[in-house]
Amino acid sequence: MNRVERVLSLIDVINEQVGRLIAYLAVFMMFSVVYEVIARYVFNRPTIWSMEINQYLLCGYTALAGGYALLHKSHVNVDILHQRFGVRTRAFLNILTSFFFFLFIIVLIWKSGAMAWEAWEYNEHSETLLEAPLFPAKVVIPLGGLLILLQGLGKLIRDVRVLVTGIEEAQSAGGDFQRERKEK
Amino acid sequence: MSLTLMTVLLFAFLLALLALGLPLAFCFGSVAIIFMIWQWGPQALFTIATTAFGEWNNFILIAVPLFILMANLLERSGVAEELYEMMYRWMGPLRGGLAMGTVVICAIFAAMAGISAVATVTMGLIALPSMLKRGYDRLIAVGCVSAGGTLGILIPPSVIMILYASLTGTSVGKLFMGGVFPGILVAALFIAYIGIRCFIQPHLGPPVPKEERYSRAEKLASLKAVIAPIILILLVLGVIYFGVCTPTEAAGIGAFGSLVVLFINRRFTWTVFTDSLARTCRLSAMVMWILLGAKSFSHVYIALGASEMVYNLLTGLEINRWFFVIGMQLILFIMGFFMDPAGIIMICTPVFVPLIAKLGFDPIWFGILFTINMELGYITPPFGFNLFYMRALAGPMGVSMQDIYRSIVPFVILEILGLAIIMVLPQLALWLPQRMIGG
């Protein structure tokens, strides 16, 4: 493996691991929601934390899994024109449109980073009974932005390589649909 | 620059990026950013961060990963196999019985799962080979699975409806209840079609031969298959209908219930579990990222004043308000050929629904029409999710892509008929939401 290859697989590994880990948040959401219902109807004592904590978790779940979804080609696109082109043309178009991807993600990191910084500086808390600190719920957005940015860079490098060599990597050609076909 | 030109540019830019194959989330987001900088300067970009925080912390949307998890767990729970076995014993002797039964199972699954993939995949794996082995016509066998699968988004719970509700501010619970009778109607249309065709042309769906039929005792024994689904459906939809729980809580209960079913059926393995979690995570992330992009886009659309301009322009035409409803359905139908339903809903609701409300139509009713139209999006080529699944599942059984395309034609017509019926008889959609206690 050369150096580029190592960097690419490192990016993949990072997002794969983060995604696999973050996926477990759904288990917590499920149990805490069920607990909330039981606490309300059986013990007659609704919790003040369940829904609010889950809201923050949803934010982390979504933000941090962005790169993981990109790794697995789960972000849907319109590929009606796309699939008609040759490998090289497709790589070229991906490189072209990646400008817009980076624009979006960089603005997101920049602005949500500023928002998280503000929450830290002013020690913001939620205006609920829980008075939860808002910094953790806000900082996951720029962090998730960095993860998806990283994966986007990896994708860009791969696309450039395809454009130069004209060969599509076998392992990168599997979105959620294709994989399912192989599984069955 | 005039507002009209600006609005045209906004959408032209978006469509151009979409056509180039950039994922939807990034198309919406980047177009929003470019117009923000152009119109209001870089300080307006803070909206992107506040939108991300606002949408991703949305209480209603916690239901999205939970319902998707429920669906993914159910897919591996063995419930589909048991239901098919039951249906085979009871309906096998009828002409076309297996295909009709497949639609019934799809409807039952639709009442447990919020996405269309579950019924399509499980029935594609179980019912399709069984029907083909029994000498069923390919077109009927393939068509009933891909069309039946679409019921998943119309019969509640439904992730598509949650998205519609969060974009329009309508009640998730009411939308869910609104989908019940229309869902049953569409399923009944499918069943009637299959039944009538197979009755007239028995070779399309030959009955199971007499010597292979089951005794009454065996039939009754198989009924235990419906216990788990009935409990799950009552738990999830019942608590919403009676206002005991919010849809988000119902989603949590449903996911938990599915996990229990997985244990009871001895289907729980660590791999199944982590795999379901991983798929749930990817699909939810995809939906939530599109939502961020789309919300940012619709902020720009509204702030530009384009929303009002479009309204004034269209109402200035002085044509019958029904013309708009039908025109919108036509646009949705055409978009369904090219785009993912989640994407269509993000583009169209901010434009369509304010107009619909101002024209005096019920947004809940329109949401149901919208959802039926999105069902069509799943089965119309070239971009129809269920067709992709069919290509993957039926392809190895020797069913060609042409067969798959041809198989959906009658079902598309039936679904359009269903759409027309709901349009003419809004009470079919609105009766139940008006009666529910919660919401």
Side-chain angles (χ1 to χ4, degrees), chain B residues 257-327:
Chain B
S258 309
L259 191 60
V260 172
V261 172
L262 215 58
F263 272 107
I264 292 175
N265 287 358
R266 297 172 187 278
R267 293 294 184 109
F268 182 90
T269 66
W270 201 246
T271 325
V272 165
F273 188 54
T274 51
D275 203 52
S276 302
L277 288 177
R279 284 199 294 165
T280 303
C281 183
R282 292 198 294 267
L283 191 56
S284 312
M286 182 274 278
V287 170
M288 299 292 287
W289 277 81
I290 299 187
L291 199 62
L292 163 61
K295 268 280 178 170
S296 310
F297 181 84
S298 87
H299 284 322
V300 172
Y301 173 74
I302 292 164
L304 278 175
S307 166
E308 240 179 84
M309 184 213 54
V310 170
Y311 172 71
N312 291 333
L313 186 81
L314 291 178
T315 47
L317 295 176
E318 298 209 349
I319 38 182
N320 190 298
R321 60 185 193 143
W322 282 94
F323 184 84
F324 291 112
V325 176
I326 293 165

Side-chain angles (χ1 to χ4, degrees), chain B residues 202-379:
Chain B
H203 64 276
L204 295 179
V208 173
K210 279 214 170 58
E211 59 279 7
E212 286 177 39
R213 291 182 191 172
Y214 289 86
S215 69
R216 173 152 302 156
E218 284 170 318
K219 280 184 185 169
L220 288 176
S222 70
L223 277 182
K224 71 173 193 332
V226 294
I227 298 171
I230 285 180
I231 293 175
L232 275 178
I233 292 170
L234 286 180
L235 264 181
V236 174
L237 298 184
V239 292
I240 297 176
Y241 182 82
F242 289 107
V244 175
C245 288
T246 62
T248 302
E249 289 167 346
I253 295 171
F256 180 72
S258 309
L259 191 60
V260 172
V261 172
L262 215 58
F263 272 107
I264 292 175
N265 287 358
R266 297 172 187 278
R267 293 294 184 109
F268 182 90
T269 66
W270 201 246
T271 325
V272 165
F273 188 54
T274 51
D275 203 52
S276 302
L277 288 177
R279 284 199 294 165
T280 303
C281 183
R282 292 198 294 267
L283 191 56
S284 312
M286 182 274 278
V287 170
M288 299 292 287
W289 277 81
I290 299 187
L291 199 62
L292 163 61
K295 268 280 178 170
S296 310
F297 181 84
S298 87
H299 284 322
V300 172
Y301 173 74
I302 292 164
L304 278 175
S307 166
E308 240 179 84
M309 184 213 54
V310 170
Y311 172 71
N312 291 333
L313 186 81
L314 291 178
T315 47
L317 295 176
E318 298 209 349
I319 38 182
N320 190 298
R321 60 185 193 143
W322 282 94
F323 184 84
F324 291 112
V325 176
I326 293 165
M328 284 173 186
Q329 296 306 325
L330 214 61
I331 292 172
L332 293 176
F333 179 64
I334 293 167
M335 285 177 93
F337 283 90
F338 309 106
M339 276 182 79
D340 172 59
I344 299 174
I345 235 169
M346 309 269 181
I347 296 185
C348 292
T349 43
V351 185
F352 287 1
V353 180
L355 191 63
I356 281 294
K358 281 187 191 167
L359 288 171
F361 290 110
D362 191 323
I364 299 279
W365 166 76
F366 189 74
I368 302 302
L369 296 183
F370 207 124
T371 312
I372 299 179
N373 221 316
M374 293 302 99
E375 286 191 278
L376 285 164
Y378 277 101
I379 50 171

